[in-house]
Amino acid sequence: MASMFSSSKFSDSLTVVGVSLCSAVICEAISWILIYRTSSYKSLRSSIDKASRKLESMKTTTDSLKLTTKKSKTKKMDRVETSLKESSRDLFFFKFKSGAVVAIVLIVVFGLLNSLFEGKPVAKLPFTPIWIVKSMSHRGLQGSDLTDCSMAFLYFLCSISIRTNLQKFLGFAPPRGAANPGLFPMPDQKTS
Amino acid sequence: KSSMKESKSSFKQQQNNDQVSPFTYSKLFDPEADWDKDQLGDVLHWIRQLVGLFCGLFCGAVPLVGGIWVLGFLAISSGIIYGYYSLILKVDEEDFGGHGALLQEGLFASLTLFLLCWILGYSLAHF
C-alpha cells in the first residue's frame, strides 16, 4: 500500500502533509515554551474559566428573581462580564506577542514548500472549486484545469485541521468563555 | 409550565456548575449522565472529527465527485451530532447555549479534515 501511494502521480501531497504535521508539532512546542507553561497564562486561563462559569450560573438564576434583586444581580453580572472581557483581552495580547515567533516559523515553512512545489499541482480536487477557493487552490499553477490543487490550498487545509485538533488534544485550545476582543477593543458602555 | 421548566433548567445548570462527574467513556451513551459545557463540547468536537475523517476517506476511495458532497457531509455530520445529543444523551440544549452552540462545535475543523481526507484519498488512489 505504501509503494502504491509513493508511486502515485500526486505523492508530493504526502510530503506537504508530513511537513505540515511536523511544523504543527514544532509550533505547539514553541507555544508551550513561550506561553502555556507560564504562570501568567495559567492564571489568566483560570480566571476566564471561573468568570464565564459564574456568569452562566448568574444568567440562569436572574430570570426568576424579584425586580429589586434582579437590578443588583444585573449590576453584579455586568461587573463579572467586564472582568471576563478584561481577562480575555489580556490573554489575547499575551498570546499575540509570543505568537509572532510561531508566525515566523510558519512563514519560513510555507516559503520552503513554495520553493519546492511552485507551479506544480500536488493533488487533484474531486470537485470544481468556487471562486473564493479557486484563487488559493489554483495559485501559481499553469493551465485551465481548475481541479489541479496547488500546495497553498493543501497546506491551508492541513494547517487548520491538524493544528486545531493538536491544540485540542494537548489541551491548549482557547477557553470557550473567552471572547476575542480584537486589536482595537471598544470601551465597555455599561461601566462608562 | 414554562416557569417550572426554567427553574428546573436553572437548578440543573447550578448542579452542573457545582458538581459534574469527571469524564468516563460510560457517559457517552448514558442519558442520565451529568455534563458540563466543556465536556459535552469536547465530545461533540471529537465526534465531528471522526465523522469528517471517515466520510473524507470514503468519498476519496469510492470516489465521490462533485461539490454537492461537501453539503452532503455538512448535513450528515450535523444530523449525527444533533441525533447524538438530543436522542442518545437527551440533553436540554438550553443548558448548553442552544442548538447553534452545540452544532458548531468542531464544525470548521471537521470540514477542513473532510476536505483534506477526500482530496488525499482521491488523488492517491485514483491517479
Side-chain angles (χ1 to χ4, degrees):
Chain A
M1 198 171 185
S3 58
M4 184 180 90
F5 287 156
S6 61
S7 61
S8 164
K9 185 181 171 188
F10 295 111
S11 56
D12 288 333
S13 57
L14 294 175
T15 307
V16 175
V17 173
V19 169
S20 187
L21 181 63
C22 291
S23 66
V25 171
I26 290 169
C27 287
E28 287 313 301
I30 292 172
S31 296
W32 181 77
I33 291 167
L34 296 179
I35 304 170
Y36 302 129
R37 67 172 186 158
T38 61
S39 52
S40 315
Y41 173 79
K42 286 177 185 171
S43 67
L44 274 172
R45 174 104 193 217
S46 167
S47 64
I48 288 171
D49 284 338
K50 279 183 194 161
S52 61
R53 281 185 209 278
K54 196 172 177 181
L55 197 61
E56 293 246 352
S57 66
M58 284 168 101
K59 275 180 182 168
T60 50
T61 54
T62 302
D63 292 334
S64 52
L65 297 174
K66 287 183 184 173
L67 187 61
T68 46
T69 327
K70 209 171 181 174
K71 273 184 181 171
S72 68
K73 195 89 178 188
T74 309
K75 275 187 182 169
K76 267 188 187 173
M77 273 173 56
D78 290 344
R79 276 201 294 273
V80 173
E81 207 169 321
T82 305
S83 153
L84 177 63
K85 280 182 186 170
E86 280 171 8
S87 299
S88 299
R89 190 169 55 231
D90 292 342
L91 183 69
F92 174 77
F93 282 117
F94 184 73
K95 290 175 81 174
F96 186 78
K97 285 182 283 186
S98 308
V101 178
V102 170
I104 289 169
V105 170
L106 291 174
I107 288 168
V108 167
V109 169
F110 183 79
L112 173 71
L113 286 174
N114 202 38
S115 64
L116 287 172
F117 300 114
E118 192 173 5
K120 191 180 171 192
V122 297
K124 200 75 171 166
L125 298 178
F127 54 89
T128 305
I130 56 175
W131 64 275
I132 305 168
V133 176
K134 191 178 67 174
S135 56
M136 196 191 298
S137 68
H138 209 253
R139 185 176 177 275
L141 297 181
Q142 306 297 323
S144 56
D145 185 357
L146 294 177
T147 59
D148 283 338
C149 179
S150 69
M151 179 279 302
F153 185 59
L154 198 67
Y155 183 68
F156 166 76
L157 293 178
C158 289
S159 295
I160 300 290
S161 54
I162 294 173
R163 278 200 78 202
T164 304
N165 287 309
L166 189 61
Q167 284 180 348
K168 196 83 177 174
F169 181 72
L170 296 173
F172 298 158
R176 281 190 178 81
N180 188 356
L183 282 173
F184 305 103
M186 298 300 290
D188 196 345
Q189 304 281 342
K190 289 172 188 167
T191 54
S192 59
Chain B
K1 256 192 184 176
S2 61
S3 61
M4 268 180 66
K5 193 182 175 188
E6 277 166 14
S7 58
K8 187 179 173 187
S9 172
S10 67
F11 172 72
K12 205 170 177 187
Q13 183 66 28
Q14 192 70 34
Q15 216 178 14
N16 276 348
N17 289 338
D18 296 342
Q19 38 170 318
V20 171
S21 55
F23 175 75
T24 56
Y25 288 104
S26 58
K27 281 175 83 165
L28 291 175
F29 297 101
D30 181 6
E32 303 298 322
D34 290 327
W35 292 93
D36 80 5
K37 210 169 178 178
D38 285 339
Q39 274 181 3
L40 183 60
D42 288 348
V43 166
L44 296 182
H45 172 96
W46 288 117
I47 290 174
R48 270 231 198 240
Q49 306 317 301
L50 283 174
V51 172
L53 180 70
F54 285 118
C55 285
L57 292 176
F58 176 77
C59 289
V62 170
L64 297 174
V65 176
I68 193 76
W69 294 108
V70 177
L71 298 175
F73 162 71
L74 290 172
I76 289 169
S77 64
S78 299
I80 289 172
I81 294 295
Y82 174 79
Y84 177 69
Y85 72 72
S86 63
L87 300 175
I88 296 178
L89 293 186
K90 292 185 172 51
V91 297
D92 183 359
E93 68 280 355
E94 295 301 324
D95 294 339
F96 299 96
H99 289 297
L102 292 175
L103 286 172
Q104 74 176 2
E105 284 289 343
L107 176 62
F108 190 59
S110 74
L111 178 61
T112 55
L113 184 60
F114 164 74
L115 288 173
L116 180 64
C117 295
W118 188 17
I119 291 169
L120 284 178
Y122 180 64
S123 304
L124 293 171
H126 299 284
F127 290 88

